[in-house]
Amino acid sequence: TRLSIRLEGDTLILRMSNGKRFLFHRRKSASSSTSPSPNRRLRGTYCSYSGGNGYARSDWATFDGRGNFQYGSSYSNSGGSGNYYNQGAAQKGRYRVEGNTILLFYPDGSSDRATVYRQTSDGTITEIQYGNRLYASSLCR
């Protein structure tokens, strides 16, 4: 018996010399067709604080779950020369989540990376390590 095999798109066609024909259709798995972008794991505002001796610094980053983020910081000093407070303008960028790495892309063409420090059982990222700083959604409350 002779066998002819042909693939047409998502259909595999087997044709035998006796005239019988078999069709096999590839199905898309439910998980691959409906799986959300990994960027959806990172959504919301994450904050980090540091300071001491009258000095305080607050950094924050807000991720939209679609690959865009904004970030900024504020400083305050209540030292011997009086009180001082400064909040810089928010900056924008793009991001991409790849496994436990968060790739950050800035408008000037530069890039950086952060690491997923903690996540929930469903993969939602709750804490990020960026440099030597830990950012957490729970610190923004």
Side-chain angles (χ1 to χ4, degrees):
T1 322
R2 194 177 145 145
L3 178 64
S4 163
I5 302 172
R6 192 170 80 232
L7 181 63
E8 292 181 3
D10 286 338
T11 303
L12 178 68
I13 303 168
L14 298 178
R15 199 171 269 150
M16 302 181 78
S17 59
N18 63 6
K20 288 189 179 183
R21 195 172 117 178
F22 300 93
L23 301 176
F24 299 89
H25 301 281
R26 182 185 336 198
R27 289 190 205 168
K28 300 206 184 292
S29 70
S31 62
S32 68
S33 62
T34 60
S35 62
S37 161
N39 292 339
R40 295 186 63 79
R41 294 175 50 209
L42 184 56
R43 177 183 291 203
T45 301
Y46 299 75
C47 298
S48 179
Y49 296 97
S50 62
N53 296 327
Y55 167 82
R57 175 180 171 152
S58 167
D59 294 291
W60 58 269
T62 300
F63 299 86
D64 69 357
R66 296 184 318 240
N68 303 295
F69 76 101
Q70 293 187 34
Y71 62 97
S73 59
S74 59
Y75 308 88
S76 64
N77 188 344
S78 58
S81 60
N83 293 334
Y84 170 77
Y85 177 80
N86 180 32
Q87 181 171 355
Q91 304 294 314
K92 295 182 180 186
R94 305 250 329 131
Y95 73 94
R96 185 171 66 235
V97 177
E98 293 183 354
N100 285 332
T101 301
I102 303 161
L103 302 171
L104 306 167
F105 305 96
Y106 302 99
D108 66 1
S110 64
S111 64
D112 210 344
R113 65 181 53 220
T115 304
V116 174
Y117 188 81
R118 184 164 286 141
Q119 58 188 322
T120 61
S121 60
D122 70 357
T124 301
I125 299 168
T126 57
E127 296 178 16
I128 301 166
Q129 181 80 40
Y130 179 70
N132 63 354
R133 312 260 326 253
L134 183 66
Y135 288 76
S137 54
S138 61
L139 293 175
C140 300
R141 296 182 184 136

